């Protein structure tokens, strides 16, 4: 077997979850997923397709009718995005990997902004690329920030690809439009492709953009720019388990991605695409409600966490995570396992996302029932209080 | 974009199909897919799962209950195959690609037996491997055969991976048990991994094995051998559009594949896996009937083709294709396009599968209605007759 694969880290999130799986007394907030079932109308469209017998192979790039609907949807957010720039993929993760397969040769240099969902940094390593990470850093208030000049200095003409995820999983950090413009300008100079994972774009709470969505590179770039944007049905439409995403890219890249989709997964199931079509068609009924609820989740959880002794966190402008640090606990994997065992609380360890996130914990606040979040905070509070009693500070 | 990707051939099958798509007067036999809808019991299991709200992320390696069922199924065919050797994947094509990602570094040498489904030879090129093809050859009767000594001579200690597909798409060629033993013995000596695509194992008509399935490397190998077998629900259970397959591998490889599945597609949808579980549980009602019908299709089509002037073909022992040659027509892509345009008959061009299959055509005989095959032959017959009138021989 390949050394590159043997050396890939297993998910530290799974390591914590496995330690608590099947334990009814653990409240899990470890995965990046809402606990809400996909809306009825979406599931019914999938069911109707299965009943109609749509069980055959389909187009590599996705059903034409779905690509047209995606074109309308993306155009409404970002200005004209034509159908020939779109490909439907088997999940956002497949979209990311197919994009990298198109762009990254073994030995190529890739720069990634971290902490980030570990899949984004694992994929270039599978392809044999040289990975260089540029770290965000938290300020005194626990708000994570990008040193833009530092990032730009790391991107040279040798850099094949920049990987960036904003709104960011796990920190909630979100690029401003001005920062995106600086990065785009620089990458145009160096000839570097930008792979922008924007799956959380609708889960944005700052209220400083006309359409409510987070700033996107698509708002600034020309169709021919070396820019690939990854999207997913998972977050905005509560469709994680369906495994459906899409890519926006320059028109000349689309046929290449079509070939690669054939060799990766061939196509997404038609009944899944029919469900996605229903999601698109009822998005005005679904997504704003999802976002409003998530904002309520965030605004319930974060102030409670800030009220706990020794806890540092901040209101994330985007995403569905609180990212927090507990004073005196520097080993996040050990801490997360202790919280499972001793507090019945399931969080993801920061070290899963990058070394610089060691000591931090990710709490997914996408909870249908907000009292679950409150109960989680009570558990953490009790655990901290008991610890304070047994351990002299 | 990468040269390796730009140079990948677009599917020549799609090229022919695109030329005839949407034309109601074309009888299509170009894709490797039955025209029969997935059986009701399987679809209902998927529907029930969607109704129950199973729309969340799941295990990377597949639902434990499905892996257990697959272990029982594979053990019934090949002797004990434990659950820790199994991974569920998003289609057979994803199984193949994940296996190659585990084993093949850029620059590694890969040997493939061709003609073969083009995905099998495209995947190592995506990974930057050096590909060497060993060609089957047709005898006087149109039966394709492997020069085993020639293959063994091509596999050296430098060969990282051997890719072989038997029963073979497109030729129907099927390895004998003795040939498999020779190949396995040789690869043990050279340290070469065998990636065996056995998705057509149940579609075997020779009747010379105890369980009716085609000879499998699994019947001969030890669990620790460097052997990976790819399987799929597509053919034996009429589930092409569901995109579900599985891998059998040495136990030590399974955790590595688990990591890679996370980075490829994360997991297969639970409702798709529930449908597959129903397929497994009713396989005795489904697969033998599928196989008996396909044998009838083959035994209808091939003798009719043999009766046409200038047509050479043979009864394939396995698979779901007739592979034929029409005397005087050496450009299979041009011929396939002419047959679409002039005869209303949709076949796949041999050149799509390897240069040595140039001049041949693939006819998928998986037709629910056998009279469709007869009508196809009538169209070919008429076209040949008209051609004979207009062109002096």
């Amino acid at each position: 077997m390949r050394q590159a694969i043997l050396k890939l880290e297993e998910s530290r999130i799974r390591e914590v979850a496995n330690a608590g799986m099947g334990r009814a007394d653990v409240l899990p907030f470890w995965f990046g997923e809402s606990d809400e079932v996909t809306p009825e109308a979406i599931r019914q469209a999938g069911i109707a397709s299965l009943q109609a017998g749509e069980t055959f192979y389909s187009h590599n790039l996705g059903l034409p009718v779905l690509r047209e609907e995606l074109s309308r949807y993306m155009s409404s957010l970002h200005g004209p995005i034509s159908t020939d720039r779109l490909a439907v993929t088997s999940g956002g993760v497949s979209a990311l990997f197919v994009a990298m397969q198109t762009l990254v040769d073994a030995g190529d240099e890739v720069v990634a902004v971290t902490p980030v969902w570990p899949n984004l940094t694992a994929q270039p390593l599978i392809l044999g690329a040289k990975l260089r990470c540029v770290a965000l850093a938290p300020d005194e208030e626990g708000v994570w920030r990008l040193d833009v000049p530092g990032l730009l200095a790391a991107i040279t003409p040798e850099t094949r690809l920049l990987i960036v995820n904003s709104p960011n999983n796990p920190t909630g950090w979100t690029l401003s439009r001005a920062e995106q413009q600086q990065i785009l300008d620089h990458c145009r100079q160096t000839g570097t492709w930008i792979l922008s994972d924007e799956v959380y774009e609708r889960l944005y709470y700052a209220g400083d953009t006309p359409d409510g969505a987070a700033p996107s590179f698509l708002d600034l770039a020309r169709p021919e720019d070396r820019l690939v944007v990854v999207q997913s049905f998972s977050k905005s439409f509560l469709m994680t388990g369906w495994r459906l995403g899409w890519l926006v890219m320059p028109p000349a890249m689309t046929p290449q991605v079509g070939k690669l989709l054939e060799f990766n997964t061939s196509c997404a199931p038609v009944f899944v695409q029919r469900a996605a079509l229903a999601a698109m068609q009822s998005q005005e009924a679904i997504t704003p409600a999802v976002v409003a609820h998530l904002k309520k989740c965030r605004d319930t959880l974060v102030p409670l966490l800030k009220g706990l002794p020794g806890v540092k966190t901040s209101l994330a402008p985007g995403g569905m995570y609180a990212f927090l640090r507990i004073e005196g606990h520097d080993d996040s994997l050990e801490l997360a396992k202790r919280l499972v065992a001793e507090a019945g609380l399931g969080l993801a360890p920061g070290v899963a996302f990058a070394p610089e996130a060691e000591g931090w914990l990710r709490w997914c606040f996408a909870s249908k029932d907000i009292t679950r979040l409150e109960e989680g905070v009570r558990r953490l509070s009790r655990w901290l209080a008991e610890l304070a009693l047994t351990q002299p500070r």
Side-chain angles (χ1 to χ4, degrees), chain A residues 114-303:
Chain A
T114 57
V116 78
W117 188 42
N119 295 33
L120 282 170
T121 43
Q123 289 174 340
L125 297 177
I126 296 171
L127 296 171
K130 285 179 287 186
L131 179 67
R132 178 171 178 181
C133 293
V134 173
L136 303 171
D139 66 13
E140 279 302 299
E141 310 296 311
V143 178
W144 289 71
R145 300 192 186 278
L146 173 66
D147 167 23
V148 178
L151 173 64
L152 300 188
I155 302 169
T156 74
E158 293 303 299
T159 312
R160 186 85 184 130
L161 182 70
L162 165 67
I163 299 172
V164 63
N165 162 233
S166 158
N168 176 257
N169 171 10
T171 64
W173 163 75
T174 302
L175 275 168
S176 72
R177 213 175 279 297
E179 289 170 327
Q180 287 179 335
Q181 187 68 60
Q182 281 179 281
I183 293 170
L184 179 62
D185 289 344
H186 183 85
C187 287
R188 280 174 176 162
Q189 300 256 329
T190 59
T192 299
W193 284 81
I194 300 172
L195 179 57
S196 181
D197 175 350
E198 302 185 358
V199 300
Y200 297 98
E201 74 163 344
R202 301 296 300 274
L203 280 47
Y204 186 64
Y205 318 107
D208 57 0
T209 57
D211 55 16
S216 165
F217 279 100
L218 291 171
D219 301 329
L220 304 172
R222 294 184 291 265
E224 296 74 23
D225 270 314
R226 291 190 178 89
L227 168 69
V228 183
V229 171
V230 167
Q231 275 296 350
S232 165
F233 286 89
S234 291
K235 318 296 176 185
S236 319
F237 301 99
L238 304 170
M239 290 182 71
T240 46
W242 297 73
R243 316 308 308 122
L244 205 70
W246 71 93
L247 280 167
V248 187
M249 62 203 133
M253 183 169 158
T254 308
Q256 306 304 324
V257 162
K259 287 193 290 189
L260 283 174
L261 285 171
E262 169 65 26
F263 305 134
N264 274 264
T265 53
S266 291
C267 58
V270 173
F271 49 86
V272 168
Q273 296 189 64
R274 294 283 183 214
L277 200 58
M280 284 279 107
Q281 285 160 350
S282 47
Q283 55 111 348
E284 280 168 37
I286 295 172
T287 306
V290 167
V291 176
H293 178 72
L294 287 174
K295 183 170 190 298
K296 213 162 122 189
C297 290
R298 179 194 72 154
D299 293 346
T300 301
L301 176 65
V302 173

Side-chain angles (χ1 to χ4, degrees), chain A residues 13-32:
Chain A
I13 307 173
R14 292 252 174 202
E15 190 175 335
V16 173
N18 288 341
M21 207 74 101
R23 276 187 50 184
D25 60 330
V26 175
L27 266 183
F29 303 101
W30 38 46
F31 292 140

